[in-house]
Amino acid sequence: MTLRLFDLSGRVAVITGISRGIGRALAHGFAEAGAIVAGCARSYEAAERTAEQIRAKGGEALGVLADVTRPEDCQALIDAAVRRYGRLDIAVLNAGINIKKPSIDFAAGEFDTVIAGNLRAYFLAAQAAARQFMRQGRGGAIVMNSSNASLAAFDELGPYCAAKAGIDGLVRALAAEWGPHGIRVNAFNPGYTTHSMTDKGQDYLKTGAAEIIGRTPLRRMAEVSEMAGPAIFLASDAASFVTGVTLAVDGGWCAA
Ligand SMILES: NC(=O)c1ccc[n+]([C@@H]2O[C@H](COP(=O)([O-])OP(=O)(O)OC[C@H]3O[C@@H](n4cnc5c(N)ncnc54)[C@H](OP(=O)(O)O)[C@@H]3O)[C@@H](O)[C@H]2O)c1
């Protein structure tokens, strides 16, 4: 009975950024939990590749071309899911970008790119999902993939830390504003995984591995697949009275 609370069978979940990394792992995880997945990337082929992998395993999934920094694309993503599957139950906002360099060297345009690719994109996608939830009148769950960079300083990630802290703020603000509509808004905050968003970051995972692992109470980095459980929890009925929270999934990094 209790386990059934985590079951997403028949729920329609939109997930942004499913072509690789954590988003792809989330798409597979949600499908394994029973959800129907409509996921996007900035290339239709890349999104469809993940959708096809899910269908090959017996799940149901749809790949959509959408750049989530654009409001019309966020709307088109939600519309594509509703047109195909008739409803929306869950929106997982995951697609993000990063530029790793010293803050002193950031151009204004690079700062804007990082804020738009994370904070603006999450706001626009949340807004499009919430409009659909309000139209349906049955509530819904929004789960944001934030980062422990919202909670602590990370080297050469100044604007990214700011964008992710903004996402945590958005979680609380939107949870308060949309709670009366039955819309829950939460985030999980990954720490270091074995997958990095940038080549420079991937190099650091090798050279800095001992330091990262030594500083992490669980003494390892996460696999991207380990993000699915916390995200599924927040999206599921198991979290029916949970809203406005940010859940660290960082092996204890921020606690230590
Ligand atoms: N990797 C980590 O260890 C880590 C740690 C903490 C938090 N996070 C967070 O986890 C999320 C995913 O990280 P990741 O490492 O998996 O990143 P990634 O490997 O760079 O993948 C990003 C995904 O988002 C898509 N994407 C990026 N910008 C997009 C846009 N404007 N519109 C639509 N799709 C877009 C990319 O697809 P296309 O390029 O094909 O469009 C790709 O599927 C991010 O929000 C990141 O901040 C990651």
Side-chain angles (χ1 to χ4, degrees), residues 146-168:
S146 183
S147 170
N148 65 352
S150 71
L151 306 163
F154 282 81
D155 222 22
E156 300 193 338
L157 295 181
Y160 178 79
C161 288
K164 291 296 186 177
I167 286 169
D168 288 4

Side-chain angles (χ1 to χ4, degrees), residues 17-23 40-43 46 66-69 94-97 118 122 145-147 160 164 190-193 195-197:
I18 65 164
S19 63
R20 59 177 180 274
I22 296 176
C40 77
R42 287 165 297 182
S43 138
D67 176 346
V68 289
T69 62
N94 161 83
I97 58 153
N118 295 285
Y122 278 37
N145 180 356
S146 183
S147 170
Y160 178 79
K164 291 296 186 177
Y192 279 103
T193 70
H195 165 88
S196 174
M197 301 173 81

Side-chain angles (χ1 to χ4, degrees), residues 11 88 92 108 117 137 144 150 157 178 180 188 215 218 234 242 248 256:
R11 307 277 168 97
L88 180 72
V92 182
M144 303 195 190
S150 71
L157 295 181
W178 296 343
F188 62 99
R215 164 88 171 70
L218 288 183
L234 292 172
V242 179

